[in-house]
Amino acid sequence: MAKSKQAELDKIKQQILDDTVCADLAATATQLVFGEGNPDAELVFIGEAPGKNEDEQGLPFVGAAGKFLKALGRLHH
């Protein structure tokens, strides 16, 4: 039986944590900001690097970039 996309994403996240994939970033980060949302989404936004708010909350796009994306979403509804 094939693993679900979410299970595969969870496995990748754990590998990043276990292997300290980006040691320089991990040295200054509070936590991993991996991502969230529907694993079956047709569109994915990838940020360049987590900001202070993202690092503190462990969630993507909760700072200025997130506010900008939300404002864009309101323009198209």
Side-chain angles (χ1 to χ4, degrees), residues 3-18 32 34-37 39:
K3 290 184 179 181
S4 73
K5 288 179 187 178
Q6 186 60 56
E8 288 296 319
L9 290 169
D10 292 341
K11 181 179 173 184
I12 292 168
K13 179 180 180 179
Q14 192 59 52
Q15 286 176 321
I16 291 169
L17 291 168
D18 291 346
L32 174 66
F34 186 72
E36 67 175 356

Side-chain angles (χ1 to χ4, degrees), residues 7-69:
E8 288 296 319
L9 290 169
D10 292 341
K11 181 179 173 184
I12 292 168
K13 179 180 180 179
Q14 192 59 52
Q15 286 176 321
I16 291 169
L17 291 168
D18 291 346
D19 298 339
T20 314
V21 171
C22 187
D24 291 338
L25 180 60
T28 59
T30 303
Q31 59 190 313
L32 174 66
V33 179
F34 186 72
E36 67 175 356
N38 182 349
D40 292 316
E42 293 182 23
L43 180 64
V44 176
F45 288 92
I46 300 173
E48 181 178 357
K52 181 179 184 265
N53 292 321
E54 289 79 9
D55 183 47
E56 288 174 350
Q57 296 182 44
L59 298 170
F61 300 110
V62 292
K67 289 178 185 174
F68 179 73
L69 288 172

